Amino acid sequence: MLVIDHNKKIYEQLYEQIKKQILSGELKPGTRLQATRVLAQEYGISRNSVVAAYEQLLVEGFVRTVIGSGYYVEKIEIPYQPDKKTNSNAVETSKKIVEPKYNFRYGNLEYNCYQNRKWRKCLINSMNILSMNSSINYLLHNGSERLRRFVADFLLSSRAVKCNLEQIVITNGHQAAIDIICTLFDDMKYDFAIEDPGYDGCRVVFERHGFNAQPITVENNGISIDELHNKKHQIVYVTPSHQFPTGCILPIGKRLGIIDWAEKTDSYIIEDDYDSELRYNSHPIQSLQSLDGGNRVIYLGTFSKSLAPDLRIAYLVLPEKLLSTYNEKYKVSNSNVPTLIQEALAEYIESGEYENGLRAIRTFYKRKHDYILEHLKRDDIELLGTEAGLHFLMNINTNLNRTQIMQIMEKYGIGIYSTERYWILHEKCAENQILVGFSSIPSIDLEKAMISFNNALDEITR
């Protein structure tokens, strides 16, 4: 029996109550959860809310899915919890996670912006300026006007993005930007679609807001436009300039096609331009927003790759037709990015040092990128998406499954990762495909790392 308070977020209540029933043993392992439609009808709630709760339970391992059957409770070993009163002095210990010797994980960065004297100087200058203010004030919800002005100028010159200051929103990281987008469409008039495979960090945020992610096939040249044709009132998430994780580029025909589709079907496109600065052998690809004219494309960018992920600073460029909704929803909110960081970044861009830093970063990562590719010239593997970014995919000519592949890699001290998490339709994920990130592994370790990597591949393909 579930208790629903319609004044609170429905999916959070469902998630918490079902999780509690699983942990308490009320729902036994192997128990099939009620069908999403049945549960929604029984309690008079949205099916999307039920799906979001079930998917969160799935992500956290409380349930599993059986295709064509539904969601089933997983067997969970619940740890013994001693009496807090009799063990108040006990020290909690946890098993230490052992990192691979050579970790080819995607995400973290070796290039350390805090070692850049110019960036540190901008931080200090901004702190000195703020220290002279007679008062410390809250920033408006869309962020520093000065920073937004420089972001607009930079986007126009580098990505041909056309916008005014009011369209730019400075956000506390990439997922905070996605969260804002979700709130602009929370009346459930729109459905959500995403590339499959695609960035799971975006998908999870939409699902937390009650959206049910619809997978759209990624073809050799990007998202399938044919699969979109019969859909209306959609918010579709794409990475057209460097599809994540496959690395393919959406050609001009498809770019114009998806914009035309969005206009005809009252849909919106989220263009995530997450690493457009990091193209190694060609200029950046023209943005969708520049082709659209700002009507249907929500442009999303971040400073995580060009500065540091822990700065938590990204930005949105909203279409003008969404501004009234945004301003109404956030009229009593304030910016959640520290003034110090925003003003330092504004100075960094204005001084020209940001672009200088970008060139240095491209050179740094191109050197690593080229070294790795040079040492992966083999006939028994296929590399995908090697023209840009900080990762690529590898298809290995082997009959082993992904678990066996990763176990052998681990034996040689190599940390690599499956692409399964990025798929909604997991059964389409190739068993022999792995994701190789190279941004965090120290350059000094590359020589030994590539020797071990090739030794592991020799055993896998034997």
Side-chain angles (χ1 to χ4, degrees):
M1 179 70 182
L2 301 173
V3 178
I4 303 298
D5 182 352
H6 289 272
N7 294 318
K8 298 179 181 179
K9 289 186 176 180
I10 304 297
Y11 83 91
E12 289 183 350
Q13 297 178 67
L14 293 174
Y15 160 77
E16 290 293 346
Q17 292 184 46
I18 296 172
K19 181 175 75 171
K20 186 176 180 180
Q21 290 176 357
I22 293 172
L23 291 175
S24 68
E26 184 178 344
L27 285 175
K28 306 294 184 186
T31 301
R32 182 178 180 275
L33 299 185
Q34 276 186 284
T36 54
R37 291 187 187 279
V38 173
L39 186 61
Q41 290 173 357
E42 181 177 342
Y43 289 93
I45 57 180
S46 165
R47 180 172 175 261
N48 284 340
S49 296
V50 181
V51 170
Y54 281 14
E55 284 296 307
Q56 188 63 33
L57 291 166
L58 176 65
V59 168
E60 295 185 12
F62 290 100
V63 300
R64 70 180 189 278
T65 57
V66 177
I67 296 175
S69 180
Y71 296 80
Y72 290 81
V73 176
E74 282 278 37
K75 183 178 180 180
I76 300 172
E77 296 294 336
I78 302 174
Y80 169 70
Q81 297 181 346
D83 190 325
K84 292 181 180 179
K85 292 182 180 179
T86 59
N87 293 276
S88 58
N89 295 322
V91 178
E92 236 181 75
T93 60
S94 60
K95 186 178 180 181
K96 185 178 179 180
I97 297 174
V98 179
E99 287 285 327
K101 186 175 183 180
Y102 306 117
N103 199 343
F104 287 84
R105 173 184 292 143
Y106 173 76
N108 296 337
L109 303 180
E110 180 188 4
Y111 193 94
N112 187 341
C113 73
Y114 300 109
Q115 295 173 357
N116 184 318
R117 288 185 294 108
K118 302 292 179 60
W119 170 241
R120 294 205 307 270
K121 182 180 179 182
C122 290
L123 286 168
I124 293 169
N125 288 347
S126 296
M127 190 176 296
N128 289 338
I129 292 170
L130 289 172
S131 71
M132 293 186 286
N133 289 348
S134 59
S135 63
I136 303 298
N137 304 318
Y138 291 102
L139 277 179
L140 291 176
H141 49 78
N142 52 1
S144 160
E145 180 177 332
R146 182 184 177 212
L147 177 56
R148 287 184 285 122
R149 183 170 66 252
F150 291 130
V151 168
D153 292 343
F154 176 76
L155 289 177
L156 181 61
S157 63
S158 65
R159 306 292 290 117
V161 170
K162 301 178 182 68
C163 63
N164 57 51
L165 298 190
E166 287 69 34
Q167 290 175 259
I168 297 176
V169 181
I170 306 299
T171 70
N172 185 26
H174 181 280
Q175 288 191 317
I178 297 293
D179 191 77
I180 289 173
I181 294 171
C182 290
T183 65
L184 304 182
F185 296 96
D186 63 2
D187 59 2
M188 293 304 172
K189 173 185 174 183
Y190 289 85
D191 293 320
F192 173 61
I194 186 172
E195 304 164 317
D196 195 34
Y199 177 50
D200 56 341
C202 172
R203 185 177 77 236
V204 166
V205 176
F206 267 92
E207 288 173 343
R208 286 174 182 164
H209 280 266
F211 290 89
N212 182 25
Q214 304 172 64
I216 307 296
T217 301
V218 173
E219 300 167 334
N220 290 335
N221 59 352
I223 191 169
S224 170
I225 306 301
D226 290 340
E227 289 186 21
L228 288 172
H229 273 158
N230 295 325
K231 297 182 181 296
K232 296 182 179 180
H233 308 303
Q234 298 287 316
I235 314 158
V236 59
Y237 172 89
V238 294
T239 48
S241 297
H242 186 224
Q243 201 281 328
F244 187 86
T246 68
C248 63
I249 298 171
L250 198 68
I252 186 64
K254 280 194 168 186
R255 287 169 181 257
L256 295 174
I258 195 172
I259 291 170
D260 182 62
W261 162 81
E263 190 65 44
K264 290 178 178 177
T265 60
D266 185 26
S267 297
Y268 286 91
I269 303 162
I270 302 173
E271 177 182 13
D272 189 349
D273 211 10
Y274 67 100
D275 68 355
S276 61
E277 306 94 346
L278 297 173
R279 296 203 68 81
Y280 301 122
N281 300 307
S282 63
H283 294 294
I285 310 300
Q286 187 175 7
S287 66
L288 277 180
Q289 199 270 1
S290 66
L291 297 170
D292 169 54
N295 296 315
R296 290 290 169 179
V297 174
I298 303 169
Y299 183 87
L300 171 58
T302 176
F303 293 98
S304 291
K305 304 292 187 297
S306 56
L307 276 172
D310 66 339
L311 285 175
R312 308 313 305 136
I313 186 163
Y315 53 87
L316 287 169
V317 179
L318 296 172
E320 289 189 336
K321 61 176 62 179
L322 291 179
L323 287 182
S324 59
T325 302
Y326 168 76
N327 288 324
E328 178 62 27
K329 294 239 180 204
Y330 290 91
K331 62 185 177 183
V332 295
S333 299
N334 301 109
S335 177
N336 52 14
V337 180
T339 303
L340 172 65
I341 299 298
Q342 295 195 50
E343 292 304 316
L345 182 52
E347 179 178 334
Y348 195 51
I349 296 174
E350 182 183 23
S351 68
E353 292 301 332
Y354 177 69
E355 291 199 58
N356 291 339
L358 280 181
R359 285 191 287 272
I361 289 169
R362 268 195 298 269
T363 300
F364 178 82
Y365 285 119
K366 185 178 188 303
R367 191 179 300 119
K368 293 179 73 173
H369 164 273
D370 291 352
Y371 184 91
I372 292 170
L373 295 191
E374 180 65 28
H375 288 78
L376 286 175
K377 290 183 175 179
R378 304 172 57 112
D379 295 332
D380 49 14
I381 62 173
E382 176 190 21
L383 304 182
L384 306 174
T386 60
E387 294 300 312
L390 300 173
H391 77 283
F392 56 85
L393 297 187
M394 177 186 292
N395 291 332
I396 306 174
N397 185 11
T398 179
N399 292 322
L400 300 181
N401 61 39
R402 64 177 68 97
T403 301
Q404 293 168 321
I405 290 171
M406 288 190 284
Q407 286 174 344
I408 293 174
M409 285 286 188
E410 185 179 350
K411 184 173 73 172
Y412 286 88
I414 302 296
I416 50 87
Y417 303 90
S418 166
T419 59
E420 185 180 16
R421 59 179 283 191
Y422 304 117
W423 289 84
I424 295 176
L425 303 176
H426 295 286
E427 63 275 13
K428 288 189 174 184
C429 179
E431 288 283 346
N432 66 331
Q433 186 175 87
I434 60 173
L435 185 145
V436 182
F438 56 87
S439 58
S440 63
I441 185 167
S443 299
I444 195 172
D445 291 340
L446 273 183
E447 182 178 356
K448 292 180 179 178
M450 295 314 299
I451 292 172
S452 294
F453 204 125
N454 277 291
N455 288 339
L457 286 174
D458 289 341
E459 180 172 338
I460 291 168
T461 58
R462 185 176 301 159

